[in-house]
Amino acid sequence: MNIFTRLIAKALQMPEQGIENTLSLLDQGCTIPFIARYRKERTGGLNDIQIGQISSKYEQFKELQKRKETIIKTITEIGKMTDDLRQRIDDCWESTTLEDLYLPYKPKRRSKAQVAREYGLEPLATIIMLQKEQKPFEVAKKFISKDVTSIEEAIKGAQDIIAEQISEDERSRIQLRNTFRREALMFSKVIKSKSEFEGAAKYSDYFDFVEPLKHCSSHRLLAMRRGEKEGFLRLSIDVEYEDECIGRLQRLFVRGTTPCGKLVNEAIEDSYKRLLKPSIENEFSALSKQIADEEAIKVFTENLRQLLLAAPLGQKRVMGIDPGFRTGCKVVCLDEQGNLLHHEAIFPHPPVNHVMQAKIHTEEMINKFGIEAIAIGNGTASRETLLFVKELDLNDKIQVFTVSEDGASIYSASKTAREEFPDEDVTVRGAVSIARRLMDPLAELVKIDPKNIGVGQYQHDVDQTKLKNALDRTVESCVNLVGVNVNTASQHLLTYISGLGPTLAKNIIEYRKEHGAFLSRPQLKKVPRLGPAAYEQCAGFLRIPNAKNPLDNSAVHPESYKIVERMAHDQHCSVAELIGNKQVIDQINIKRYVSEEVGLPTLTDIIKELEKPGLDPREQLEEFEFDPNVSTVDDLVEGMILPGIITNITNFGAFVDIGVHQDGLIHISQLADKFVRDPNEIVKLHQHVKVRVVDIDSKRNRIALSLRDL
């Protein structure tokens, strides 16, 4: 076992053998979805989230190893490296401790202590720090020079050196760090001159706020930091009893009540206030931000996963409507594959009010293009458009859905949209996106930067690199969980398939245009630059309906086709006859097919896939209706029970669309009649719920809702 395996196993509490094999597969270039789905024997059945955690820790420890090498090189070059220090650095795998070890040797700007050293006062600082000299002021006379013109200057310079030494001492930092960990308080104060500015009111909860840092939740911390960034708040982290902190340091370094001890006492107080406390405060500020970021990113990725795996309508002819008042409603008609057949604008709402004309045109489009479902964007004029559609003379089989518009405008102006619809304007592209989201949310939403999809909390305030990595990994996980039809998938969707990426995705699209639909998985090997390694990684996640080999439309990997063929042969039937035939499949004894390469986990997956090949793991889509008597905030009354849709989940609760153009919040305390640690335990994104209106704050545009007692 290598050192990284042991460190990761300890950090994540996972078996070492599974981690060792996972690291080996990652180093070979295998993707997380491939390892999770097709290498369960090697990993011990770790899922994609666990493998992702292992990958992240692996990168973290590799970065720490590079940092250690840099530190060792720097200390060695200045001639300060000792065997003991080298051993301590080699054994250290905690970044804070590592930086503490490096701090005394770190190249510094020209500090007060550095100036004092240049003036030759370091020997005086050493004498005072030893605390044996009874007459330090007499000794200080010897250090007077053209740069140091008095005893007081000499003593002060020596104390500056002592202050820096104490601030860099590992014991000092550990002691104060432990105090901050136990006792640190987060303070937030309003900047008086900005308190009446527009936008300040939303931070009013933090105008005079104090809370133990260890209890400060991620959403409160990120809200305060945003208020600070916008210039409304001033934040600080401090401990309540400063004298106690200084006293602990003095007990650590001062020996007795000697004249030198008194000077060291003064140096310690200066060290604490000028150097040590600001340094630890910055450290805890950065650490608390990092923890808050990780929590917010976790919330965002969970929401994104639920959004991407939302129930699809499937391949049906859909009408998409992007609602509007003055500019009208843009209407598009799509075929079963999502291709644009027709578009036009209708004006059923004020100020134009061409209601009858809009009715006639819409009904004509529905009949002409065989529309089976209607998707209406949830933005401006959404409720009015929904009522207009409900009053049309529709076939009972036509379903009507309200669809989130979040990010549609971003998509419509994007390069991807321009390439798809070079001859259409942004309004048409936006309406197409709304319709396609109904048909297949996953296939459409992957075209939009996840930050613009409208789920998560404070996503623009967190570490953007970490956020992007986490979201990309989530999108990749969802796409590969569902699998894609290689003959209809967009280039954007194919990009997220295991082992492909932008270049191979583009090559697949171009090959498809030139040679027509793929007829088998092995044909993928003819795609330029799609070699054996990429084929191994991607083949199991690409589906080919109506292929000659029915396994090409399943999640069974080509490397396992021979196993299925043996199973079919042993059951005296063809592979095609075996697939979906539960009676025959139940007779298979999978233990007969165990080998050194293939174990029970893979065989169990193969049997599940044979029973329901290509099964979509997403749920069925359900229609939903808002309360017809409520369309604006003014229609709300406390105590009302209303239907709603969960639109966003955060650490502090869930947001619900109740059809009034302003989402309400179910605070975490109102989610259930019991203690709730995580809102995801109670609700899911896009879940249909009944909520009670608890409070309406018109001034701050907030609606409080509850699920309790319902």
Side-chain angles (χ1 to χ4, degrees), residues 655-688:
F655 287 92
V656 185
D657 183 358
I658 53 175
V660 296
H661 304 301
Q662 172 62 44
D663 286 359
L665 171 67
I666 311 173
H667 188 266
I668 191 168
S669 62
Q670 294 294 320
L671 281 169
D673 295 319
K674 60 179 182 179
F675 173 74
V676 178
R677 187 176 301 279
D678 178 2
N680 282 289
E681 296 171 0
I682 307 297
V683 292
K684 297 298 177 190
L685 213 59
H686 288 171
Q687 181 180 335
H688 299 172

Side-chain angles (χ1 to χ4, degrees), residues 425-684:
D425 66 21
V426 291
T427 61
V428 174
R429 297 171 193 157
V432 170
S433 181
I434 288 168
R436 286 179 173 176
R437 288 185 192 197
L438 177 63
M439 299 171 74
D440 189 342
L442 178 61
E444 193 61 21
L445 290 172
V446 294
K447 301 173 186 176
I448 303 167
D449 185 335
K451 286 188 296 184
N452 297 313
I453 291 178
V455 295
Q457 63 184 68
Y458 302 104
Q459 58 264 36
H460 297 286
D461 300 305
V462 303
D463 185 307
Q464 295 301 293
T465 302
K466 287 182 180 178
L467 177 64
K468 185 180 187 307
N469 291 340
L471 297 183
D472 284 349
R473 189 175 288 171
T474 301
V475 175
E476 180 187 54
S477 170
C478 293
V479 170
N480 288 283
L481 176 66
V482 174
V484 304
N485 180 342
V486 71
N487 288 322
T488 60
S490 67
Q491 181 179 326
H492 223 85
L493 189 60
L494 287 169
T495 297
Y496 287 100
I497 286 293
S498 167
L500 292 185
T503 302
L504 288 178
K506 184 180 180 182
N507 291 354
I508 287 173
I509 297 293
E510 290 177 351
Y511 184 93
R512 199 169 72 190
K513 285 178 182 175
E514 185 178 346
H515 298 91
F518 287 90
L519 303 177
S520 70
R521 277 175 171 166
Q523 192 182 348
L524 288 162
K525 296 176 183 177
K526 296 180 180 179
V527 173
R529 299 180 67 179
L530 204 158
Y535 178 75
E536 178 188 54
Q537 296 296 308
C538 75
F541 303 104
L542 297 172
R543 311 277 188 267
I544 304 177
N546 305 314
K548 184 177 179 181
N549 187 336
L551 293 175
D552 285 352
N553 194 34
S554 75
V556 176
H557 196 280
E559 66 188 9
S560 298
Y561 282 9
K562 282 189 167 58
I563 297 170
V564 179
E565 289 164 4
R566 277 179 54 207
M567 289 177 176
H569 179 269
D570 292 347
Q571 296 301 319
H572 310 292
C573 65
S574 67
V575 170
E577 291 167 336
L578 179 63
I579 290 175
N581 191 334
K582 192 171 188 316
Q583 188 176 353
V584 176
I585 292 170
D586 285 345
Q587 295 174 16
I588 297 173
N589 178 8
I590 60 173
K591 292 180 181 177
R592 290 180 55 191
Y593 305 96
V594 173
S595 65
E596 286 186 11
E597 295 79 25
V598 182
L600 288 175
T602 294
L603 293 167
T604 301
D605 282 348
I606 289 172
I607 292 296
K608 285 179 183 175
E609 193 60 27
L610 292 175
E611 288 177 354
K612 294 181 178 178
L615 177 67
D616 195 319
R618 296 172 289 182
E619 296 178 353
Q620 293 294 309
L621 191 63
E622 296 177 0
E623 282 190 89
F624 173 85
E625 285 191 18
F626 291 112
D627 189 316
N629 301 312
V630 175
S631 57
T632 70
V633 175
D634 294 335
D635 296 327
L636 296 178
V637 177
E638 287 183 24
M640 269 184 170
I641 308 294
L642 299 171
I645 300 175
I646 305 292
T647 59
N648 196 5
I649 300 172
T650 69
N651 274 345
F652 53 87
F655 287 92
V656 185
D657 183 358
I658 53 175
V660 296
H661 304 301
Q662 172 62 44
D663 286 359
L665 171 67
I666 311 173
H667 188 266
I668 191 168
S669 62
Q670 294 294 320
L671 281 169
D673 295 319
K674 60 179 182 179
F675 173 74
V676 178
R677 187 176 301 279
D678 178 2
N680 282 289
E681 296 171 0
I682 307 297
V683 292
K684 297 298 177 190

Side-chain angles (χ1 to χ4, degrees), residues 71-89:
I71 288 172
I72 288 169
K73 182 182 176 185
T74 303
I75 298 175
T76 302
E77 284 175 352
I78 63 173
K80 296 290 182 71
M81 182 59 73
T82 64
D83 291 342
D84 178 61
L85 180 58
R86 176 63 187 258
Q87 189 63 53
R88 291 193 69 193
I89 293 172

Side-chain angles (χ1 to χ4, degrees), residues 83-131:
D83 291 342
D84 178 61
L85 180 58
R86 176 63 187 258
Q87 189 63 53
R88 291 193 69 193
I89 293 172
D90 284 340
D91 293 343
C92 180
W93 291 99
E94 207 281 314
S95 59
T96 304
T97 305
L98 182 63
E99 295 302 327
D100 280 352
L101 291 172
Y102 180 43
L103 190 58
Y105 311 98
K106 194 174 185 178
K108 301 175 182 68
R109 58 182 175 80
R110 200 160 179 265
S111 63
K112 286 184 177 183
Q114 188 59 34
V115 171
R117 288 189 186 96
E118 290 170 7
Y119 292 166
L121 296 173
E122 190 154 27
L124 177 59
T126 303
I127 291 167
I128 293 171
M129 196 61 182
L130 287 171
Q131 300 171 55

Side-chain angles (χ1 to χ4, degrees), residues 322-364:
D322 186 358
F325 287 113
R326 183 181 56 80
T327 56
C329 301
K330 185 61 71 175
V331 182
V332 297
C333 299
L334 310 185
D335 67 13
E336 296 88 342
Q337 278 73 46
N339 298 312
L340 178 63
L341 302 173
H342 175 78
H343 68 83
E344 67 178 81
I346 59 173
F347 296 85
H349 310 311
V352 181
N353 280 324
H354 288 169
V355 182
M356 188 52 66
Q357 186 185 57
K359 182 177 185 295
I360 293 168
H361 281 228
T362 306
E363 288 175 354
E364 284 177 351

Side-chain angles (χ1 to χ4, degrees), residues 96 100 173-181 283-284:
T96 304
D100 280 352
R173 302 184 73 80
I174 289 172
Q175 186 180 86
L176 189 55
R177 197 175 283 129
N178 288 338
T179 301
F180 264 66
R181 198 171 286 123
E283 185 181 302
F284 271 75

Side-chain angles (χ1 to χ4, degrees), residues 299-317:
V299 169
F300 200 157
T301 53
E302 179 55 36
N303 280 346
L304 180 63
R305 180 180 296 276
Q306 292 182 33
L307 189 65
L308 294 175
L309 296 179
L313 180 68
Q315 292 188 321
K316 291 188 178 182
R317 291 184 162 239

